């Protein structure tokens, strides 16, 4: 039986993250697969393009990435998967997830998915973007019932 | 460990169908879950709305559904999962998949997924529609490399 050997789970630190990570952890354990945790810090520069002068040494993305690494480590310890590889990337979540999956040779990406209706459908979602762009299988874990 | 108990796999009889069914079969076996096979005959009436008069007793959808049931049974036997429940529905694939999943209490839907780029992204896909509308987890199996 073909098994998944290398699982990448994307964590957004929402209340639902633990349920998503738990599923990825179970699949990894059952398949004796490598587990990789990833948090993507969404690129923020365009949010601050107003008239207010910002300090030249402002490096919000990097600060956020450092904070995210600490949070990811704490989450992994709390969920007793501190041996899992941990990654923090800065960029567009769907792109970074797909990119890291290829780079690490993942054969399954696990992401959380909220239902979408009406206008939301047009706006797309991370799960949707990953589904279309990934070169491997994608498990969308339904969260936020 | 939480397991999947009831898996629904959507089969479109493309060359890639067997790979998708195989994955669903493996997950079901490993979880001792119920396996359900579904083929959706896409509603065809609008395709024949031209000027050519059609025989009044034409019932293409029903004929196609009967043929599909035979093909589904043959596929299940070939893949040695003839004990799996088999369903053929007529309609819009993503809607019928989501509807049957709810009706049968499925906790995982397995569908095939092709990568999409450019204009294709706007047209959506069955995998995409299922992802947004399903109330359970969705595994998109990457096919057609």
């Amino acid at each position: 039986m073909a098994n998944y050997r290398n699982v990448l789970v994307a964590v957004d630190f929402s209340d639902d993250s633990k349920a998503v990570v738990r599923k990825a952890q179970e699949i990894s354990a059952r398949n004796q697969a490598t587990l990789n945790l990833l948090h993507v810090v969404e690129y923020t520069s365009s949010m601050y393009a107003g008239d207010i002068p910002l300090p030249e040494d402002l490096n919000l993305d990097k600060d956020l990435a450092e904070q995210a690494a600490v949070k990811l480590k704490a989450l992994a310890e709390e969920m007793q998967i501190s041996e899992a590889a941990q990654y923090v990337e800065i960029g567009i979540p769907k792109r970074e997830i797909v990119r890291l999956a290829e780079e690490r040779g993942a054969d399954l990406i696990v992401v959380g998915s909220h239902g979408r209706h009406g206008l939301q459908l047009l706006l797309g979602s991370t799960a949707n973007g990953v589904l279309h762009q990934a070169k491997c299988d994608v498990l969308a874990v339904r969260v936020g019932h």
Side-chain angles (χ1 to χ4, degrees), chain A:
Chain A
M1 291 207 310
N3 291 321
Y4 294 114
R5 292 283 167 220
N6 194 329
V7 177
L8 172 65
V9 56
V11 180
D12 65 2
F13 299 129
S14 69
D15 290 346
D16 304 309
S17 281
K18 283 183 196 171
V20 177
V21 173
R22 188 68 68 200
K23 285 252 168 97
Q25 182 184 10
E26 288 167 8
I27 293 166
S28 301
R30 207 176 298 144
N31 290 275
Q32 297 178 287
T34 304
L35 181 59
N36 304 279
L37 301 179
L38 166 64
H39 175 76
V40 182
V41 175
E42 285 203 66
Y43 183 65
T44 51
S45 293
S46 60
M47 297 182 196
Y48 302 96
D51 288 336
I52 305 160
L54 293 173
E56 280 185 16
D57 61 351
L58 189 71
N59 203 336
L60 275 170
D61 296 324
K62 194 156 162 284
D63 291 350
L64 287 170
E66 280 167 12
Q67 289 168 32
V70 173
K71 283 175 84 170
L72 198 57
K73 190 158 179 279
L75 179 71
E77 278 170 10
E78 186 193 336
M79 298 191 73
Q80 299 180 299
I81 45 170
S82 49
E83 79 287 358
Q86 294 165 26
Y87 302 90
V88 173
E89 303 290 345
I90 301 171
I92 303 162
K94 63 183 178 187
R95 286 184 189 276
E96 292 304 314
I97 294 167
V98 169
R99 189 187 59 69
L100 189 73
E102 286 181 41
E103 195 178 296
R104 307 313 306 168
D107 49 12
L108 179 69
I109 296 172
V110 181
V111 287
S113 170
H114 293 261
R116 281 177 174 253
H117 300 282
L119 271 177
Q120 281 188 308
L121 273 173
L122 291 175
L123 299 175
S125 66
T126 296
N128 184 14
V130 170
L131 179 71
H132 285 136
Q133 292 171 16
K135 296 207 170 79
C136 63
D137 291 2
V138 178
L139 175 64
V141 175
R142 177 53 38 123
V143 293
H145 286 282

Short mmCIF file of all heavy atoms in Angstrom, two decimals, chain A residues 40-76:
data_model
loop_
_atom_site.label_atom_id
_atom_site.label_comp_id
_atom_site.label_asym_id
_atom_site.label_seq_id
_atom_site.Cartn_x
_atom_site.Cartn_y
_atom_site.Cartn_z
N VAL A 40 3.09 30.83 7.64
CA VAL A 40 3.47 31.87 6.69
C VAL A 40 3.02 33.23 7.23
O VAL A 40 1.83 33.44 7.52
CB VAL A 40 2.84 31.64 5.30
CG1 VAL A 40 3.29 32.73 4.33
CG2 VAL A 40 3.21 30.26 4.76
N VAL A 41 3.97 34.13 7.40
CA VAL A 41 3.67 35.52 7.77
C VAL A 41 3.28 36.24 6.49
O VAL A 41 4.10 36.35 5.57
CB VAL A 41 4.90 36.20 8.41
CG1 VAL A 41 4.60 37.67 8.68
CG2 VAL A 41 5.30 35.48 9.69
N GLU A 42 2.02 36.68 6.42
CA GLU A 42 1.59 37.35 5.19
C GLU A 42 2.35 38.64 5.00
O GLU A 42 2.51 39.43 5.93
CB GLU A 42 0.08 37.62 5.23
CG GLU A 42 -0.73 36.37 5.01
CD GLU A 42 -2.13 36.65 4.50
OE1 GLU A 42 -2.26 37.14 3.35
OE2 GLU A 42 -3.07 36.39 5.25
N TYR A 43 2.81 38.84 3.80
CA TYR A 43 3.62 40.02 3.47
C TYR A 43 2.82 41.28 3.76
O TYR A 43 1.69 41.44 3.28
CB TYR A 43 4.00 39.95 1.99
CG TYR A 43 4.90 41.07 1.56
CD1 TYR A 43 6.18 41.18 2.07
CD2 TYR A 43 4.46 42.01 0.64
CE1 TYR A 43 7.02 42.21 1.67
CE2 TYR A 43 5.28 43.04 0.24
CZ TYR A 43 6.56 43.13 0.76
OH TYR A 43 7.38 44.15 0.37
N THR A 44 3.37 42.18 4.57
CA THR A 44 2.58 43.28 5.12
C THR A 44 2.86 44.66 4.53
O THR A 44 2.08 45.58 4.73
CB THR A 44 2.84 43.40 6.63
OG1 THR A 44 4.26 43.44 6.82
CG2 THR A 44 2.23 42.24 7.38
N SER A 45 3.93 44.82 3.78
CA SER A 45 4.37 46.16 3.39
C SER A 45 3.26 47.02 2.79
O SER A 45 3.11 48.18 3.13
CB SER A 45 5.52 46.08 2.39
OG SER A 45 6.65 45.55 3.05
N SER A 46 2.45 46.42 1.92
CA SER A 46 1.44 47.21 1.23
C SER A 46 0.39 47.75 2.19
O SER A 46 -0.31 48.71 1.90
CB SER A 46 0.75 46.36 0.16
OG SER A 46 0.14 45.25 0.76
N MET A 47 0.27 47.15 3.36
CA MET A 47 -0.71 47.63 4.33
C MET A 47 -0.30 48.97 4.92
O MET A 47 -1.10 49.66 5.52
CB MET A 47 -0.85 46.63 5.48
CG MET A 47 -1.38 45.27 5.07
SD MET A 47 -1.54 44.27 6.56
CE MET A 47 -1.70 42.64 5.82
N TYR A 48 0.98 49.31 4.80
CA TYR A 48 1.49 50.51 5.47
C TYR A 48 1.90 51.58 4.46
O TYR A 48 2.79 52.36 4.70
CB TYR A 48 2.66 50.13 6.37
CG TYR A 48 2.26 49.10 7.38
CD1 TYR A 48 2.48 47.75 7.16
CD2 TYR A 48 1.60 49.49 8.55
CE1 TYR A 48 2.08 46.81 8.08
CE2 TYR A 48 1.19 48.55 9.47
CZ TYR A 48 1.44 47.22 9.23
OH TYR A 48 1.04 46.28 10.14
N ALA A 49 1.24 51.58 3.30
CA ALA A 49 1.64 52.47 2.22
C ALA A 49 0.92 53.82 2.28
O ALA A 49 0.70 54.46 1.28
CB ALA A 49 1.41 51.79 0.87
N GLY A 50 0.52 54.25 3.47
CA GLY A 50 -0.19 55.51 3.63
C GLY A 50 0.76 56.69 3.71
O GLY A 50 1.93 56.59 3.33
N ASP A 51 0.26 57.82 4.20
CA ASP A 51 1.07 59.04 4.27
C ASP A 51 1.90 59.13 5.54
O ASP A 51 2.75 60.02 5.67
CB ASP A 51 0.14 60.27 4.21
CG ASP A 51 -0.44 60.44 2.82
OD1 ASP A 51 0.20 59.94 1.87
OD2 ASP A 51 -1.50 61.04 2.69
N ILE A 52 1.63 58.23 6.47
CA ILE A 52 2.35 58.32 7.74
C ILE A 52 3.78 57.83 7.56
O ILE A 52 4.00 56.71 7.10
CB ILE A 52 1.65 57.46 8.82
CG1 ILE A 52 0.18 57.88 8.93
CG2 ILE A 52 2.37 57.56 10.15
CD1 ILE A 52 -0.71 56.84 9.55
N PRO A 53 4.77 58.68 7.86
CA PRO A 53 6.16 58.23 7.70
C PRO A 53 6.45 57.10 8.69
O PRO A 53 6.08 57.18 9.85
CB PRO A 53 7.00 59.46 8.04
CG PRO A 53 6.04 60.57 8.30
CD PRO A 53 4.67 60.01 8.47
N LEU A 54 7.08 56.06 8.20
CA LEU A 54 7.43 54.93 9.06
C LEU A 54 8.92 54.99 9.36
O LEU A 54 9.69 55.48 8.54
CB LEU A 54 7.10 53.60 8.36
CG LEU A 54 5.62 53.33 8.14
CD1 LEU A 54 5.44 52.08 7.29
CD2 LEU A 54 4.87 53.17 9.45
N PRO A 55 9.33 54.56 10.53
CA PRO A 55 10.76 54.54 10.84
C PRO A 55 11.53 53.71 9.81
O PRO A 55 11.02 52.68 9.37
CB PRO A 55 10.84 53.88 12.22
CG PRO A 55 9.46 53.56 12.64
CD PRO A 55 8.50 54.00 11.60
N GLU A 56 12.69 54.19 9.43
CA GLU A 56 13.43 53.52 8.36
C GLU A 56 13.87 52.11 8.72
O GLU A 56 14.04 51.27 7.87
CB GLU A 56 14.66 54.35 7.96
CG GLU A 56 14.28 55.49 7.05
CD GLU A 56 15.50 56.25 6.55
OE1 GLU A 56 16.63 55.71 6.67
OE2 GLU A 56 15.33 57.37 6.05
N ASP A 57 14.05 51.91 10.03
CA ASP A 57 14.53 50.59 10.44
C ASP A 57 13.37 49.64 10.74
O ASP A 57 13.56 48.58 11.30
CB ASP A 57 15.46 50.71 11.66
CG ASP A 57 14.73 51.31 12.85
OD1 ASP A 57 13.59 51.79 12.67
OD2 ASP A 57 15.29 51.29 13.96
N LEU A 58 12.15 50.06 10.36
CA LEU A 58 10.98 49.21 10.63
C LEU A 58 11.08 47.93 9.80
O LEU A 58 11.31 47.97 8.60
CB LEU A 58 9.70 49.97 10.24
CG LEU A 58 8.40 49.29 10.66
CD1 LEU A 58 8.22 49.37 12.17
CD2 LEU A 58 7.22 49.93 9.97
N ASN A 59 10.93 46.86 10.46
CA ASN A 59 11.05 45.58 9.77
C ASN A 59 9.98 44.64 10.30
O ASN A 59 10.26 43.63 10.94
CB ASN A 59 12.45 45.00 9.98
CG ASN A 59 12.79 44.03 8.87
OD1 ASN A 59 11.88 43.48 8.24
ND2 ASN A 59 14.07 43.81 8.64
N LEU A 60 8.74 45.05 10.03
CA LEU A 60 7.60 44.35 10.63
C LEU A 60 7.58 42.87 10.28
O LEU A 60 7.34 42.02 11.13
CB LEU A 60 6.29 44.99 10.14
CG LEU A 60 5.82 46.19 10.93
CD1 LEU A 60 4.67 46.86 10.21
CD2 LEU A 60 5.43 45.79 12.35
N ASP A 61 7.82 42.58 8.99
CA ASP A 61 7.74 41.18 8.56
C ASP A 61 8.73 40.32 9.35
O ASP A 61 8.39 39.25 9.81
CB ASP A 61 8.05 41.06 7.06
CG ASP A 61 7.01 41.78 6.23
OD1 ASP A 61 5.83 41.75 6.62
OD2 ASP A 61 7.37 42.36 5.20
N LYS A 62 9.94 40.86 9.49
CA LYS A 62 10.96 40.08 10.19
C LYS A 62 10.60 39.91 11.66
O LYS A 62 10.73 38.82 12.23
CB LYS A 62 12.33 40.77 10.03
CG LYS A 62 13.48 39.88 10.42
CD LYS A 62 14.78 40.31 9.74
CE LYS A 62 15.98 39.71 10.48
NZ LYS A 62 16.26 40.43 11.76
N ASP A 63 10.10 41.00 12.27
CA ASP A 63 9.67 40.91 13.67
C ASP A 63 8.57 39.87 13.82
O ASP A 63 8.58 39.05 14.73
CB ASP A 63 9.16 42.26 14.17
CG ASP A 63 10.28 43.29 14.28
OD1 ASP A 63 11.46 42.89 14.15
OD2 ASP A 63 9.98 44.48 14.47
N LEU A 64 7.60 39.93 12.92
CA LEU A 64 6.48 38.98 12.97
C LEU A 64 6.97 37.55 12.77
O LEU A 64 6.49 36.62 13.42
CB LEU A 64 5.44 39.33 11.90
CG LEU A 64 4.59 40.57 12.17
CD1 LEU A 64 3.79 40.94 10.94
CD2 LEU A 64 3.67 40.34 13.36
N ALA A 65 7.95 37.38 11.90
CA ALA A 65 8.48 36.05 11.64
C ALA A 65 9.16 35.49 12.88
O ALA A 65 9.03 34.31 13.20
CB ALA A 65 9.45 36.09 10.46
N GLU A 66 9.87 36.38 13.59
CA GLU A 66 10.55 35.92 14.81
C GLU A 66 9.53 35.52 15.88
O GLU A 66 9.67 34.50 16.55
CB GLU A 66 11.49 37.01 15.34
CG GLU A 66 12.80 37.04 14.56
CD GLU A 66 13.62 38.30 14.83
OE1 GLU A 66 13.29 39.05 15.77
OE2 GLU A 66 14.60 38.52 14.07
N GLN A 67 8.47 36.34 15.99
CA GLN A 67 7.41 35.99 16.95
C GLN A 67 6.73 34.68 16.56
O GLN A 67 6.38 33.86 17.41
CB GLN A 67 6.37 37.11 17.01
CG GLN A 67 6.85 38.39 17.66
CD GLN A 67 5.90 39.55 17.43
OE1 GLN A 67 4.69 39.36 17.33
NE2 GLN A 67 6.43 40.75 17.35
N ALA A 68 6.52 34.51 15.25
CA ALA A 68 5.84 33.31 14.77
C ALA A 68 6.66 32.06 15.07
O ALA A 68 6.11 31.01 15.44
CB ALA A 68 5.56 33.42 13.27
N ALA A 69 7.97 32.18 14.94
CA ALA A 69 8.84 31.02 15.21
C ALA A 69 8.70 30.58 16.66
O ALA A 69 8.67 29.38 16.97
CB ALA A 69 10.29 31.37 14.87
N VAL A 70 8.59 31.57 17.56
CA VAL A 70 8.43 31.26 18.99
C VAL A 70 7.07 30.58 19.22
O VAL A 70 6.97 29.57 19.94
CB VAL A 70 8.54 32.56 19.83
CG1 VAL A 70 8.19 32.29 21.29
CG2 VAL A 70 9.94 33.16 19.70
N LYS A 71 6.03 31.12 18.57
CA LYS A 71 4.69 30.54 18.73
C LYS A 71 4.63 29.12 18.17
O LYS A 71 3.98 28.23 18.73
CB LYS A 71 3.64 31.41 18.03
CG LYS A 71 3.28 32.66 18.80
CD LYS A 71 2.33 33.55 18.02
CE LYS A 71 0.88 33.15 18.17
NZ LYS A 71 -0.02 34.18 17.58
N LEU A 72 5.30 28.90 17.03
CA LEU A 72 5.28 27.59 16.38
C LEU A 72 5.97 26.56 17.27
O LEU A 72 5.49 25.43 17.44
CB LEU A 72 5.98 27.69 15.02
CG LEU A 72 5.69 26.58 14.01
CD1 LEU A 72 4.22 26.45 13.72
CD2 LEU A 72 6.45 26.87 12.71
N LYS A 73 7.08 26.99 17.86
CA LYS A 73 7.83 26.10 18.76
C LYS A 73 6.96 25.72 19.96
O LYS A 73 6.90 24.55 20.37
CB LYS A 73 9.11 26.80 19.21
CG LYS A 73 10.10 25.92 19.95
CD LYS A 73 11.52 26.51 19.89
CE LYS A 73 12.51 25.63 20.64
NZ LYS A 73 12.48 25.87 22.10
N ALA A 74 6.27 26.72 20.52
CA ALA A 74 5.42 26.47 21.69
C ALA A 74 4.27 25.53 21.33
O ALA A 74 3.92 24.62 22.10
CB ALA A 74 4.87 27.81 22.21
N LEU A 75 3.69 25.74 20.15
CA LEU A 75 2.59 24.88 19.70
C LEU A 75 3.07 23.43 19.54
O LEU A 75 2.40 22.49 19.98
CB LEU A 75 2.03 25.39 18.36
CG LEU A 75 0.88 24.58 17.75
CD1 LEU A 75 -0.41 24.75 18.57
CD2 LEU A 75 0.62 24.98 16.30
N ALA A 76 4.25 23.28 18.92
CA ALA A 76 4.80 21.94 18.69
C ALA A 76 5.07 21.23 20.02
O ALA A 76 4.81 20.04 20.17
CB ALA A 76 6.07 22.03 17.86
#
